[in-house]
Amino acid sequence: MHVLVTGGAGYIGSHTVLQLLQEGHQVSVLDNFSNSSPESIRRVIELSGLSVNLHKVDLLDEDLLKATLVSAKPDAVIHFAGLKAVGESVSQPLKYYRNNVTGTLNLLDAMGLAGCRTLVFSSSATVYGESVALPLVEATPRSATNPYGRTKLHIEEMLEELGASDERWSIANLRYFNPVGAHESGQIGEDPQGVPNNLMPYVAQVAIGRRDKVSVYGGDYQTPDGTGVRDYIHVEDLAAGHLAALDFLRKSVGVHVWNLGTGAGSSVLEVIDAFRRVSGQPVAYEIVDRRLGDVAESYANPEKARLELGWKAERGLEQMVEDMWRWQKQNPLGFEADHLLEPTDEEIVAYLGRE
Ligand code: NAD
Ligand code: UD1
């Protein structure tokens, strides 16, 4: 099938594009490269030996978006494109509502025009807000603690209302827990710009010597070692969840929701220990105050996805860290060496070496 992937040059998108190609799908990537580089797609092409149609389009450019969808005529869309930095969403909320909510509205209009009504959407466990009843099931009441989370919540609601109004739509809201790791080749992975906000990329940069020490946000939570517990999921398992959801949507209309997590939590200190073991490097840390808005523990009940999609996460913490470490070692500065900032269409074509 022909799948159009918005945000396909980004972290989770690039891993999913590679799996789609390897499963025999035709893939079009649509990205504005605001947080990514065409280098990720060049590497996906190299790893797969297959081709990708790459479109430099901003979801906020309605006319170009419509023209692209109408001419591409995809059978399905996987929608990763969005802004995701929680702190930035607090200081620039309108930027997040415009990009994430308006961007998605534009995409839905363009899909309708192109006659494509199958959509997989990147939601997040952030829609569970400060819920304390664990493990988190899909029926847990939703709330948001910051503008980023609220954009995900609004989009989920918008998609539910769209599905209820027009039964031709098949939609999956996938709630990711904490995506980490990288492709086993070490060729593609997460390339955070500036200081990483998330734990794993930060720890990886301490292990490689780019940063001095990890600040552990809180050592007095009601958890086994006092530090925060999260459900880390390997990005390859997460990508496979998208293919399973697409398969489900082929046979079923309506709006569906699935947690994509492992069901098991790891603490901050367990993550640091795993990095020390795998890298053989010292990873210095210091326990500091809790971070505002953090919950003590968050982990999924992934049973619904197992039963309905036949999907479950296969990789454990050790492998997540091994793959992340390989990516970090092979690309100590991420894609930076080859980074093209705001490339033009001509530069992208030249870069990928194809018409
Ligand atoms: P990412 O930033 O690596 O990828 C997002 C991609 O979307 C980037 O390539 C960016 O250039 C593109 N993009 C952003 N705005 C765009 C626009 N207006 N038009 C076109 N392209 C645009 O992020 P990621 O980690 O791969 O996350 C993908 C999705 O999953 C996001 O929607 C994110 O909110 C969601 N998510 C991520 C996590 C996580 O921890 N990584 C967790 C839960 C949910
Ligand atoms: C964060 C976001 C969440 C988003 C998710 C994407 C917040 C409050 N939440 O989740 O909305 O969907 O990223 O993956 O920002 N930690 C440290 N030191 C650090 C960084 C993190 O101790 O330098 C701790 C945190 O307190 C937490 C754990 O590590 O206990 C994981 O943090 P992080 O990777 O930022 O993910 P979340 O907070 O779960």
Side-chain angles (χ1 to χ4, degrees):
M1 102 199 251
H2 178 197
V3 187
L4 184 137
V5 184
T6 77
Y11 171 44
I12 307 169
S14 55
H15 290 80
T16 306
V17 168
L18 181 56
Q19 287 192 18
L20 286 166
L21 291 169
Q22 287 168 336
E23 288 298 313
H25 296 288
Q26 181 193 339
V27 182
S28 296
V29 166
L30 186 154
D31 206 300
N32 68 354
F33 301 105
S34 58
N35 196 38
S36 56
S37 154
E39 173 63 10
S40 64
I41 295 300
R42 195 193 64 74
R43 294 190 186 186
V44 164
I45 291 171
E46 199 170 86
L47 285 165
S48 65
L50 296 164
S51 68
V52 171
N53 303 311
L54 186 54
H55 305 276
K56 187 193 171 212
V57 178
D58 193 313
L59 292 178
L60 297 179
D61 184 341
E62 282 184 77
D63 292 342
L64 184 57
L65 183 63
K66 282 181 180 152
T68 307
L69 269 280
V70 167
S71 83
K73 288 194 191 55
D75 300 305
V77 171
I78 304 184
H79 178 31
F80 291 106
L83 298 173
K84 61 168 184 176
V86 173
E88 188 187 54
S89 81
V90 175
S91 59
Q92 298 182 61
L94 299 186
K95 179 174 169 186
Y96 274 67
Y97 286 112
R98 189 170 297 113
N99 195 77
N100 294 3
V101 180
T102 306
T104 302
L105 265 174
N106 292 347
L107 177 67
L108 294 169
D109 279 343
M111 286 177 68
L113 210 63
C116 171
R117 293 184 181 80
T118 301
L119 175 72
V120 178
F121 171 61
S122 298
S123 188
S124 166
T126 192
V127 301
Y128 295 121
E130 289 181 343
S131 174
V132 285
L134 292 168
L136 293 156
V137 291
E138 287 82 353
T140 303
R142 290 173 294 187
S143 65
T145 56
N146 54 66
Y148 163 71
R150 207 159 287 113
T151 66
K152 294 293 179 191
L153 192 48
H154 285 335
I155 295 168
E156 279 201 3
E157 288 171 344
M158 206 161 81
L159 294 174
E160 285 158 9
E161 286 163 358
L162 176 64
S165 74
D166 181 344
E167 61 185 20
R168 290 173 298 175
W169 284 88
S170 302
I171 298 174
N173 287 323
L174 301 183
R175 294 184 185 151
Y176 313 158
F177 279 69
N178 290 58
V180 296
H183 186 259
E184 60 180 6
S185 64
Q187 286 295 298
I188 53 173
E190 186 174 13
D191 182 14
Q193 305 301 304
V195 182
N197 297 308
N198 295 120
L199 178 68
M200 281 259 196
Y202 200 101
V203 176
Q205 292 191 4
V206 172
I208 202 90
R210 261 177 89 176
R211 307 199 183 271
D212 292 342
K213 62 179 174 202
V214 184
S215 296
V216 176
Y217 298 142
D220 57 354
Y221 283 111
Q222 293 293 311
T223 58
D225 65 18
T227 66
V229 167
R230 295 291 182 275
D231 186 342
Y232 297 97
I233 174 169
H234 197 296
V235 66
E236 285 288 313
D237 283 328
L238 192 61
H242 290 71
L243 274 76
L246 262 189
D247 216 39
F248 183 99
L249 294 184
R250 271 186 197 192
K251 298 164 231 150
S252 158
V253 291
V255 182
H256 308 269
V257 56
W258 292 287
N259 280 343
L260 296 184
T262 65
S266 304
S267 74
V268 177
L269 294 184
E270 283 170 338
V271 169
I272 292 175
D273 260 2
F275 258 96
R276 282 183 175 151
R277 272 197 312 278
V278 166
S279 68
Q281 300 297 316
V283 177
Y285 73 84
E286 179 188 12
I287 296 188
V288 300
D289 287 347
R290 293 179 179 191
R291 181 172 65 179
L292 205 69
D294 274 355
V295 291
E297 279 191 278
S298 161
Y299 52 90
N301 177 338
E303 203 47 18
K304 186 168 183 280
R306 192 182 68 76
L307 288 173
E308 296 177 0
L309 302 179
W311 171 91
K312 76 180 181 50
E314 306 285 350
R315 298 161 179 84
L317 184 66
E318 203 79 8
Q319 181 155 8
M320 300 178 205
V321 172
E322 274 171 20
D323 290 339
M324 191 127 178
W325 180 237
R326 188 178 307 106
W327 154 254
Q328 184 72 63
K329 263 192 317 187
Q330 292 181 18
N331 307 271
L333 298 175
F335 291 120
E336 196 174 273
D338 304 289
H339 203 99
L340 281 175
L341 284 174
E342 300 291 326
T344 63
D345 291 343
E346 292 71 30
E347 280 171 331
I348 291 172
V349 171
Y351 195 70
L352 297 181
R354 44 190 294 275
E355 290 303 309

